Amino acid sequence: MNNLKTTQLHSIHVESGAKMVPFAGWEMPIQYSSIIQECNAVRNKAGIFDVSHMGRFEIFGKDASLALDKILSVDPNTIKNFQAKYNLICNKEGGIIDDCIVYKINETKFLLIPNAANADTVLKWIQDNTQKLNFKINIITSETSMIALQGPHATNILNMTIPNLSEIKRFRFLEHDFNSSKMLITRTGYTGEDGYEIIVDNNLSEELWKSFRKNGADEIGLGARDVLRLEASLPLHGNEITENTNPFAAKLGMFVKLDRENYLINSKLTSLKSTDQEKVLVGFEIQGRNIARSHNSVLDSENNIIGEVTSGSFSPTLNNSIGLAYVKNSFTDLNSEVKINIRSKNITAKIIKTPFYKRS
């Protein structure tokens, strides 16, 4: 694992016995105990994830809002101060370069969180398409840590660890002084559960992690995180969304705000929105022990290929096998049956409503 980057919390993961694996150029914990046990911990109480590998770009200056208006699928001018918004960054053909969260601190300062594997691509895309604008990008990925605290007990654990916090509503955030340093606490996540993501200076990250753990949060690896996000039908770049898939095929049109004069690909996405998509993203379930995997073929009743699986897993929460796939538009009816080729066997699957899991 030479030349892999490590987070500030790396030594804690090793001490906890985590299985470490390469991920997007980083050495990250894939699991501490078992993936099923870790999924159950997040669904039933709370878990903490090290997500410090994700990018963190401060975007600030006179034209910061204009720059993001050109790049993001959402209008930064309609985002309130201390509000977060999920968005897509698309190329000129409408393909998805990345999905991100943008945080508006004030009218001239934002924080953008790209995925680890796409951070450099996102940075270059912004720079290449905003060259004449007056703003700066400060990359704070290496000097800060990012911890996700997720699950039904997350709020209690957060308040035990950091007393006297004001209430934070969903997709809102606040800045907080913690041991003479600023931290940013957001009510966001990637698990389908209530929870928070906290960005803190590196010198405080170990203390915060240990405090969350002491107050009842289990340590959770990226393996469980992937299963949890699939149960919640949240897309993963490289699987459900790529530079060759557009927001409307991926059923992410609700995160695209069109009719914007400054948006670079307003015309292209307007055209794609009005066009029937050849294939669209659907959810499916399989009864029994078979598990579909990315790139498995989806077949019709006559064994013609009609699509491809993007993600699949056993769901500990639902106790069955679930997955997402792109299929031809004529095969998307709920409760209709298709076949999935798994290890050279055609296994029956049923198209079902997503998200598979939604917290009560």
Side-chain angles (χ1 to χ4, degrees), residues 7 55 64 87 95 114 125 144 150-151 181 184 210-211 218 226 238 250 263 273:
T7 73
N87 66 91
W125 182 255
T144 58
Q150 303 282 296
S181 291
L184 189 142
K210 290 177 180 178
S211 295
D218 285 9
D226 189 50
Y263 189 30
K273 183 179 181 181

Side-chain angles (χ1 to χ4, degrees), residues 155-168 174-179 183 185 196 215:
T155 297
N156 287 340
I157 292 173
L158 180 69
N159 289 332
M160 288 170 63
T161 307
I162 310 171
N164 304 316
L165 281 178
S166 301
E167 181 185 2
I168 308 170
L174 57 78
E175 293 177 313
H176 182 75
D177 289 322
F178 183 74
N179 291 356
M183 64 163 53
I185 307 172
Y196 303 85
N215 288 328

Side-chain angles (χ1 to χ4, degrees), residues 57-246:
F57 299 170
E58 290 181 336
I59 298 174
F60 58 97
K62 175 176 172 290
D63 292 334
S65 184
L66 175 57
L68 292 175
D69 196 17
K70 286 178 171 288
I71 299 296
L72 305 184
S73 66
V74 297
D75 184 352
N77 298 296
T78 64
I79 303 174
K80 297 177 181 178
N81 291 353
F82 296 98
Q83 181 182 7
K85 203 149 195 177
Y86 177 79
N87 66 91
L88 307 168
I89 297 177
C90 297
N91 61 30
K92 291 182 179 178
E93 297 304 314
I96 301 171
I97 296 171
D98 201 13
D99 62 336
C100 305
I101 302 276
V102 64
Y103 302 89
K104 186 172 184 176
I105 297 167
N106 57 47
E107 296 299 323
T108 58
K109 186 175 181 180
F110 298 80
L111 178 69
L112 186 70
I113 310 292
N115 286 294
N118 300 326
D120 291 343
T121 305
V122 168
L123 178 62
K124 187 175 187 305
W125 182 255
I126 296 173
Q127 291 171 334
D128 287 350
N129 289 284
T130 57
Q131 290 181 1
K132 297 182 179 180
L133 299 183
N134 182 13
F135 75 102
K136 293 181 179 180
I137 301 175
N138 181 28
I139 301 173
I140 61 170
T141 309
S142 62
E143 62 199 60
T144 58
S145 297
M146 188 168 176
I147 299 171
L149 170 64
Q150 303 282 296
H153 295 179
T155 297
N156 287 340
I157 292 173
L158 180 69
N159 289 332
M160 288 170 63
T161 307
I162 310 171
N164 304 316
L165 281 178
S166 301
E167 181 185 2
I168 308 170
K169 295 182 179 179
R170 284 283 293 160
F171 275 82
R172 297 294 193 274
F173 67 95
L174 57 78
E175 293 177 313
H176 182 75
D177 289 322
F178 183 74
N179 291 356
S180 302
S181 291
K182 287 279 188 185
M183 64 163 53
L184 189 142
I185 307 172
T186 79
R187 199 162 188 172
T188 52
Y190 189 54
T191 63
E193 289 297 335
D194 191 13
Y196 303 85
E197 292 173 308
I198 301 99
I199 297 171
V200 63
D201 289 346
N202 279 336
N203 63 318
L204 295 176
S205 61
E206 292 188 19
E207 178 186 350
L208 187 62
W209 182 272
K210 290 177 180 178
S211 295
F212 284 149
R213 192 172 61 185
K214 179 183 176 182
N215 288 328
D218 285 9
E219 294 170 309
I220 312 294
L222 296 184
R225 186 171 182 252
D226 189 50
V227 175
L228 293 163
R229 71 90 195 165
L230 177 58
E231 289 181 339
S233 301
L234 300 173
L236 174 65
H237 196 277
N239 291 45
E240 287 70 46
I241 50 179
T242 71
E243 292 204 38
N244 296 314
T245 55
N246 71 70

Side-chain angles (χ1 to χ4, degrees), residues 301-316:
S301 60
E302 298 178 353
N303 295 333
N304 298 304
I305 295 177
I306 58 169
E308 184 174 279
V309 174
T310 56
S311 295
S313 176
F314 172 76
S315 164

